Structure formats: structure tokens, C-alpha cells
Amino acid sequence: MPTDSKMAKFLQSYGYDLILGSIAAIYVVMAPYTKVEESFNVQSMHDILYHRLNFNSYDHLEFPGVVPRTFIGAFIVSFIASPVVSVISWLGFPKIYNLVAARLVLGCIILSTLRFFRIQIRKNFGHQVESFFVLLTSLQFHLLFYCTRPLPNILAFGLVNLAYGNWLKGNFYSALSFLIFATVIFRCDVMLLLGPIGLQFLMTKSISFWKALKYCVGTAVVAVGLTISVDSIMWKKFVWPEFEVFWFNSILNRSSDWGTHSIHWYFTSALPRSLLVAYPLSLLGTLLDRRVPFLILPVLSFVILYSKLPHKELRFIISSVPMLNLSAAVAASRIYNNKKKAIWKLVNMVMLALFAISAGCTVVTFMASYNNYPSGYALKRLHQISPNVAGEEWVHIDTFSAMNGISRFCEDGFPWR
């Protein structure tokens, strides 16, 4: 029947996106609150959606944070989310529903960039590798949990996905342009990925040095002009946010004030937790397909270079996960294709067992994260109490509460203030 044919075609085109999107959406609905790392973009989206052009009421003017951040990501997400937010507000739902809507929009943006990368995987490595790529991504907790969180790392992550896709597509100059935009506007540390990738392009003669220089300088000038123009208006002073972040974290090394880890932490803790079964498979993938080492080496160089910075967090290297998943998917596909052979049969059984263990680890990690926003749940419980008073009830939000779940989106109206 024509309807069945259309449905089959739709699922063939977007089935994987529905799987990844559904998992990400479950994470949003079950854990809608945010942490201190997301606070700037969360409050910015709130102010753009509610205060609009009344810049004097914006949260960042009262609570600027340690370093300024760009408004560009918050503007993009808020613009796309605004129709849905208007309907939710008109229906009278609490503001937390609008935070969920904004986060779902961000997730759609990030997963659409991952889709672009996935399509290039299919074209270069085949449908089966693409299927294993989706399976491995689904079994991992952090990528799909983080993809809806308005962190500067995640906004940069979307551009990195586009860079990866253009890399596989052979559009090397476009790949460099996306990495430069990510570096200049959202996360200056993407330069640690830009450098190794650009160097490999030059060594493999994929690009011309002078043409690349022209493209990179032109892109950087446009990106710097964009962020300075937008953010100087919003911050009411001349500012290039990511340059100040770079100076604070890298030159002054002040990020160490927020804790440090050993130099091997990314390889012995962060990557094993974020990749799970894909971690050993990604190493195997470099041995099974001669194309993979050229893709993995710059990404590993990025992680190695980042390891020299004492302050470490998993989200800092989240951009390495898709490419490592590609390597793991290549290995998983090869193991599956040879599963009837003696030694490969055993390897296949071990891989399936690791798939199951990874799924269990993801469930446990999610349950831990679900309980990681105590002040968000506390404020929700407070709002459920109906005070028998005629006037306003003032609630003080202390530092711990503001760091662990509460944002402007969590505030209810009268009688609470």
C-alpha cells in the first residue's frame, strides 16, 4: 500500500534519528533541571524568551559570572523555540515546561548535525557501520544526555559534527571553517582539535597551505566580528568572550581553581565512562581499516593536548566521542561479519556481552544523574505548598541551590518571589 511504502521510506530515512532523539527526549523529561555549568545559557534563554529587548532586566548584568560568554547560541535556540514557548505560556503551564522545550530544540539541533555526520559514515563505510554507530551511541549515556544541555561545549559540539561530516565528504576547507567558528565563538579549546586536523590535511596534501590560510583568516575575521558585534551589545562593553575565556583558563590557568585531575584522567576515566564498549572497539577499529587511523589520530591528539590542562571534565572532550564511535562501529561491523569463524565467534560473544554491560551502566548512570539536582526538586516541592497568606512569599536561593538545579525557569509566579 502507498501509505505503508511512505512509512517505510520515512523510517528508512529518519528511523535512527527517532531512536537517538527519543532517548535524548527521555533524559530531558526525566531530568529537566540544569547545573551551574549551564547557568549562563539557561538564564540567557530565559531572558531572551521573557524579557526580549528589555536588556536591563537580563540576569547576566546582575550575576555576570567569572568570565563573559557569548549570547549567539542562546539567541539561536530561543528563536527556534519561541513559537512553542509562546503556546506553552498561553496555555498557562509552569515555566519549567519552557526549559524542557528549549532543551528539546537544542537537542534537535545537535542531533541534526550528528545526522549529517552519520550520513557521511554510511556513504563512506556502508549501512552496517552506520547501524553499529547508532547502536553504540544509543548505549552510551553522556553524549545523548549532554546533547540537550546548553553548555558552550555542546554548542561547539554541533559545529564539530559538521566539520567531521565535511571531512568525510572531502570538503576539507569547509571542515576547517566550522572548527574555526566553534573555536572563536563557543569554545576556544576547539583549537586543540583544529590544529591536529589542519596539520593532517596539510601532510596528506588534502589542502593547499595558502588557500587554507586564506579560508581560515577570512572565517576567523567573520566569526570574531560576529561575536564582538552581538556580545558587546549584550554585555554593554567591548568584549570578545572566548578570548577572555582563553586568557582566564589557558594563560592564567585559573581553571585549576575548580579542581584538577592527573594527566591520564581522560584516558583512564572520562573516555572509558563515556564510550563504554566502544572504548576497546575503537582501538581495534584502527587495526581493521586503514582509513580509520587517519581519522582517529587527530582526535587522540586533541585529547592528549587537552590532558596537559590540569582542570579536566568529561564535557571538555565530548567532541572526540563521535569519531571514536565511528572507529568502534568499524570494528563491530567486522566482528559481526566474521562471527561464524572460530576465533571471531568468541570475540562476537564477548562484544555482545559488553553491549549488555554498557546498557546496564547507562541505566545506572542515568539514575545517578536523575538524583543529581536536589535544589530543583526542593523548589518544586515548595511550590506545591499553598501558603495561607495574602501577600508575597520571598524565597532565598543560596549558592548551593543555584548550582544544583535552580534557574529562572524554575520560578513560579505569585505568591512566590
Side-chain angles (χ1 to χ4, degrees):
M1 294 177 66
T3 305
D4 294 337
S5 177
K6 289 181 180 179
M7 179 60 70
K9 190 174 181 179
F10 175 82
L11 290 175
Q12 185 178 8
S13 298
Y14 299 101
Y16 288 146
D17 302 299
L18 290 174
I19 292 171
L20 298 178
S22 298
I23 296 171
I26 290 171
Y27 290 155
V28 173
V29 173
M30 295 299 291
Y33 303 108
T34 55
K35 301 281 276 190
V36 62
E37 296 88 353
E38 307 155 70
S39 61
F40 173 78
N41 281 309
V42 170
Q43 313 292 31
S44 298
M45 290 190 300
H46 173 275
D47 294 341
I48 292 167
L49 291 168
Y50 285 93
H51 299 310
R52 306 203 175 189
L53 296 178
N54 184 16
F55 296 149
N56 291 328
S57 297
Y58 276 40
D59 179 87
H60 71 287
L61 298 177
E62 185 178 359
F63 304 103
V66 180
V67 288
R69 290 291 188 182
T70 182
F71 274 83
I72 293 175
F75 273 126
I76 294 172
V77 175
S78 300
F79 176 77
I80 299 173
S82 58
V84 179
V85 169
S86 298
V87 172
I88 292 174
S89 300
W90 180 73
L91 292 173
F93 288 106
K95 286 201 294 185
I96 190 66
Y97 284 76
N98 291 330
L99 175 58
V100 171
R103 286 185 53 195
L104 289 174
V105 166
L106 174 60
C108 289
I109 294 171
I110 300 303
L111 290 179
S112 67
T113 66
L114 191 66
R115 169 185 166 81
F116 175 70
F117 178 50
R118 176 175 58 77
I119 289 173
Q120 303 312 313
I121 292 175
R122 181 204 308 159
K123 291 179 178 179
N124 284 270
F125 293 91
H127 287 275
Q128 188 166 289
V129 172
E130 177 196 19
S131 299
F132 274 110
F133 176 83
V134 173
L135 175 61
L136 291 167
T137 304
S138 301
L139 291 174
Q140 296 162 352
F141 170 73
H142 292 93
L143 193 151
L144 294 179
F145 185 75
Y146 273 117
C147 77
T148 64
R149 300 201 161 271
L151 295 156
N153 313 82
I154 297 305
L155 297 169
F157 177 57
L159 294 175
V160 172
N161 285 334
L162 295 177
Y164 286 158
N166 278 283
W167 182 0
L168 292 182
K169 201 174 181 180
N171 297 335
F172 302 109
Y173 297 103
S174 296
L176 293 177
S177 295
F178 281 116
L179 291 173
I180 289 170
F181 261 101
T183 300
V184 170
I185 296 177
F186 294 120
R187 282 296 300 194
C188 59
D189 49 24
V190 178
M191 73 173 72
L192 300 177
L193 181 61
L194 170 64
I197 290 178
L199 183 61
Q200 178 166 294
F201 287 174
L202 287 171
M203 293 178 65
T204 57
K205 297 183 178 179
S206 301
I207 58 174
S208 160
F209 175 79
W210 294 110
K211 187 176 179 181
L213 183 64
K214 181 179 71 174
Y215 265 86
C216 292
V217 171
T219 302
V221 169
V222 172
V224 170
L226 176 62
T227 185
I228 289 178
S229 300
V230 172
D231 296 310
S232 294
I233 293 173
M234 300 307 298
W235 286 98
K236 297 186 176 183
K237 62 179 181 179
F238 184 84
V239 63
W240 174 8
E242 272 313 293
F243 180 78
E244 294 203 17
V245 173
F246 169 75
W247 188 265
F248 183 88
N249 286 338
S250 301
I251 305 301
L252 301 180
N253 196 25
R254 291 289 304 281
S255 61
S256 298
D257 296 346
W258 280 263
T260 62
H261 286 97
S262 59
I263 194 168
H264 57 78
W265 185 81
Y266 284 133
F267 290 98
T268 56
S269 179
L271 285 177
R273 285 185 290 117
S274 58
L275 293 173
L276 299 173
V277 63
Y279 196 35
L281 287 176
S282 65
L283 302 177
L284 182 60
T286 60
L287 304 175
L288 298 177
D289 191 317
R290 63 182 182 180
R291 296 170 293 177
V292 171
F294 292 99
L295 299 171
I296 293 301
L297 186 59
V299 174
L300 291 178
S301 299
F302 161 66
V303 180
I304 291 170
L305 289 170
Y306 220 143
S307 296
K308 292 182 67 66
L309 194 69
H311 179 62
K312 297 176 176 66
E313 295 186 42
L314 188 152
R315 61 189 173 95
F316 292 170
I317 59 164
I318 195 75
S319 295
S320 66
V321 171
M323 195 61 81
L324 293 171
N325 278 346
L326 166 57
S327 179
V330 169
S333 178
R334 180 69 64 88
I335 293 170
Y336 179 80
N337 288 336
N338 292 279
K339 64 181 183 294
K340 292 185 179 180
K341 299 178 182 178
I343 187 66
W344 289 97
K345 185 176 182 180
L346 176 62
V347 175
N348 184 62
M349 292 175 61
V350 172
M351 182 179 73
L352 294 176
L354 291 175
F355 281 163
I357 293 171
S358 294
C361 290
T362 293
V363 172
V364 172
T365 308
F366 170 67
M367 293 308 299
S369 297
Y370 174 78
N371 291 295
N372 205 24
Y373 305 89
S375 52
Y377 297 116
L379 189 60
K380 178 182 178 181
R381 180 71 185 94
L382 180 66
H383 287 151
Q384 293 171 346
I385 301 173
S386 299
N388 188 22
V389 293
E392 289 182 326
E393 284 289 289
W394 287 65
V395 181
H396 173 66
I397 307 298
D398 64 9
T399 303
F400 178 86
S401 299
M403 292 175 65
N404 291 281
I406 293 179
S407 69
R408 297 288 187 190
F409 280 104
C410 298
E411 298 173 353
D412 269 9
F414 186 86
W416 303 107
R417 182 173 178 182

